[in-house]
Amino acid sequence: MTNTRHEILFLAHRIPYPPDKGDKIRSYRLLRFLCKHFDVHLAAFVDDPNDFAHRGTLEEIAASVTLLKRPPKISGARAFLQGRSVSEAIYESNEMRQKVKGLRARPIVAEIAFSSTMAQYLEPEVANRPRLIDLCDADSAKWDEYAQQKGGLARWFYGREAAQLRLAEARAINNATRAFAISKAEAAVLDSLRRAESLAPKPVSWFGNGVDTAFFSPRENMATPPGPDIVFTGAMDYWANVDAALWFVDRVWPLVLKTSPQAQFAIVGSRPDKRLMALHGRKNISVTGRVPDVRPYLWGAKIAIAPMRIARGVQNKVLEAMASGVPVVATSGAATGIEMSSPTHFMLADAAEDFVNAVTALLANPDERSRLAREGRALMVNQFQWDQQLGRFADELIGLGLIDSRRASDQDKKVAGE
């Protein structure tokens, strides 16, 4: 790395590589963007030991890379007993604190925390050094939604965590020079938390997620083996994805099979919950587990679904499917944060009956599938390139004087496809 550029600190609660799940996609793209303008010192936790193997990839772009195994979850249990947020506590590490302290002693011009859980490492404040935090989603609102789906002790626990996180998010926003969300809607939610805590006016900014439209592109002119008719992609140990898949299998899929008995459904994603694994081989359902490349499943499918009942921010699975030229049927929650309209760009369906009708209609109508594929792909190309989305973040850095000129070239901003 060159010594002529300014240094910044970038903290992430999860190693930003490989970019194979929602938060890691965003943190990786943000890291790539920052590395074009600064010498970046990256410090991150690793929750999957296999990901330590990717250190070299990150060292090729960052000035330094610090990776630590995420602390054991028992620390979260202690925090619960102490009346603290479990989400914050499971990312509390004395070793990380010492590593970050050493990095903060360098001539850093700005500090960036990815997620509210990492804001704790940017205390105390260093004079004249901007602190930025990308909260992505309003996690407290997500825990509130979890609570509504539960009963008994679980409902109480999730509600308690939501309340603790509201305080943590409001504190992180107030302490930051700039705070960011993943969408205008999430920024509004986080703004409301800040106001509820009677904090000083400091509105939350936002920049959305993009999609690599060159990588995720239709395979129209290439031979593609036929795949499952319907696909659902994502990290399948994530509670919201598990809930969505189980709801679809229970409430929608049996009725789809009545009209399309040969239809095949694939649940594609890493670490599938045991309840999902139990579905494999039943009722024309396959559960793949982690795959090296999700694109063949999209290319071979007729429909991609996003039946999320709990969703925050932007669903990358929707962006990737649409960029790949696959028609999407999604709930309103899964579509939140993506400026698109139904039925122009996708099919909206919240009730089980509506989901059944949308899926069966598309399975029977290849012309409508082709139309949705074209419209969805065009939307991604025209509005959801990563350089377009990160332009909002670049403008904030320009306003803080961290980037010298608004004339930053497209090459400086562009992170897609590298």
Side-chain angles (χ1 to χ4, degrees):
M1 302 294 294
T2 177
N3 292 323
T4 61
R5 302 194 301 172
H6 291 305
E7 300 179 41
I8 67 168
L9 175 64
F10 183 64
L11 306 178
H13 70 297
R14 185 180 288 115
I15 179 175
Y17 199 87
D20 56 1
K21 60 190 305 182
D23 64 281
K24 294 174 73 173
I25 293 171
R26 183 175 173 90
S27 61
Y28 174 69
R29 293 294 174 175
L30 183 56
L31 174 65
R32 290 301 307 238
F33 169 81
L34 292 169
C35 286
K36 289 184 176 296
H37 294 277
F38 306 95
D39 285 351
V40 180
H41 297 283
L42 168 68
F45 286 112
V46 178
D47 55 2
D48 183 344
N50 294 324
D51 283 350
F52 278 107
H54 301 296
R55 176 190 293 272
T57 299
L58 294 171
E59 289 176 336
E60 290 178 1
I61 61 172
S64 71
V65 176
T66 299
L67 300 177
L68 297 179
K69 183 179 179 181
R70 197 185 76 177
K73 290 186 177 181
I74 190 172
S75 61
R78 287 197 297 268
F80 176 74
L81 295 174
Q82 296 167 2
R84 302 167 56 213
S85 163
V86 173
S87 299
E88 280 187 295
I90 62 175
Y91 288 99
E92 184 176 44
S93 161
N94 288 333
E95 184 179 6
M96 177 63 81
R97 199 169 298 280
Q98 290 303 311
K99 296 287 187 181
V100 172
K101 182 178 179 180
L103 292 171
R104 296 184 84 200
R106 298 184 62 87
I108 301 292
V109 299
E111 302 172 334
I112 302 175
F114 187 83
S115 88
S116 61
T117 59
M118 299 303 288
Q120 60 187 300
Y121 295 103
L122 299 186
E123 300 294 340
E125 179 183 10
V126 177
N128 301 316
R129 180 183 292 178
R131 291 183 293 178
L132 293 79
I133 180 170
D134 184 6
L135 295 106
C136 300
D137 306 332
D139 282 338
S140 57
K142 179 169 60 180
W143 282 89
D144 267 331
E145 292 180 354
Y146 288 169
Q148 293 170 16
Q149 299 290 327
K150 299 291 185 177
L153 185 60
R155 185 184 184 93
W156 174 85
F157 172 78
Y158 286 128
R160 175 199 176 278
E161 183 66 7
Q164 293 291 332
L165 274 175
R166 281 194 290 273
L167 294 174
E169 288 167 341
R171 182 173 62 249
I173 294 166
N174 194 49
N175 290 343
T177 309
R178 293 285 190 279
F180 300 88
I182 199 171
S183 68
K184 187 176 181 179
E186 290 297 295
V189 172
L190 290 165
D191 268 336
S192 69
L193 300 182
R194 176 184 52 77
R195 290 193 299 271
E197 296 303 320
S198 301
L199 297 175
K202 189 179 288 184
V204 178
S205 304
W206 67 275
F207 65 95
N209 270 16
V211 62
D212 186 341
T213 57
F215 184 79
F216 288 99
S217 61
R219 202 176 184 183
E220 296 169 343
N221 300 319
M222 300 177 68
T224 303
D229 299 278
I230 302 169
V231 294
F232 177 49
T233 63
M236 292 305 161
D237 58 345
Y238 178 47
W239 194 83
N241 283 338
V242 175
D243 175 77
L246 292 174
W247 177 83
F248 179 82
V249 169
D250 180 53
R251 301 289 304 279
V252 178
W253 188 235
L255 298 177
V256 171
L257 288 177
K258 284 187 176 181
T259 58
S260 302
Q262 302 304 314
Q264 300 290 322
F265 172 47
I267 299 171
V268 182
S270 60
R271 299 178 178 179
D273 183 276
K274 63 182 181 180
R275 291 169 293 176
L276 299 183
M277 285 304 305
L279 299 171
H280 183 66
R282 299 170 51 192
K283 301 179 182 178
N284 296 12
I285 299 171
S286 59
V287 181
T288 68
R290 188 169 189 166
V291 297
D293 191 342
V294 74
R295 291 175 301 169
Y297 292 90
L298 293 171
W299 288 330
K302 296 176 181 176
I303 304 169
I305 61 168
M308 318 300 293
R309 297 196 300 166
I310 298 172
R312 307 297 316 176
V314 174
Q315 296 294 312
N316 289 287
K317 58 173 61 69
V318 174
L319 302 182
E320 291 170 358
M322 295 177 74
S324 300
V326 183
V328 172
V329 180
T331 59
S332 55
T336 299
I338 306 175
E339 294 185 3
M340 59 185 186
S341 60
S342 173
T344 302
H345 305 112
F346 78 115
M347 297 296 293
L348 174 66
D350 282 317
E353 181 181 2
D354 294 333
F355 221 102
V356 171
N357 292 338
V359 169
T360 54
L362 285 177
L363 287 176
N365 192 335
D367 289 340
E368 180 64 4
R369 294 201 305 269
S370 295
R371 184 196 67 78
L372 280 174
R374 289 192 303 270
E375 295 289 348
R377 168 71 181 175
L379 180 67
M380 296 300 103
V381 170
N382 293 332
Q383 298 184 30
F384 286 89
Q385 304 276 12
W386 270 108
D387 57 327
Q388 295 168 317
Q389 298 300 321
L390 283 166
R392 298 180 61 90
F393 182 72
D395 288 342
E396 295 282 356
L397 296 188
I398 291 167
L400 291 170
L402 295 172
I403 295 179
D404 292 337
S405 172
R406 288 184 180 271
R407 295 181 179 178
S409 67
D410 289 342
Q411 181 62 31
D412 286 335
K413 288 186 178 182
K414 189 173 183 180
V415 295
E418 299 183 31

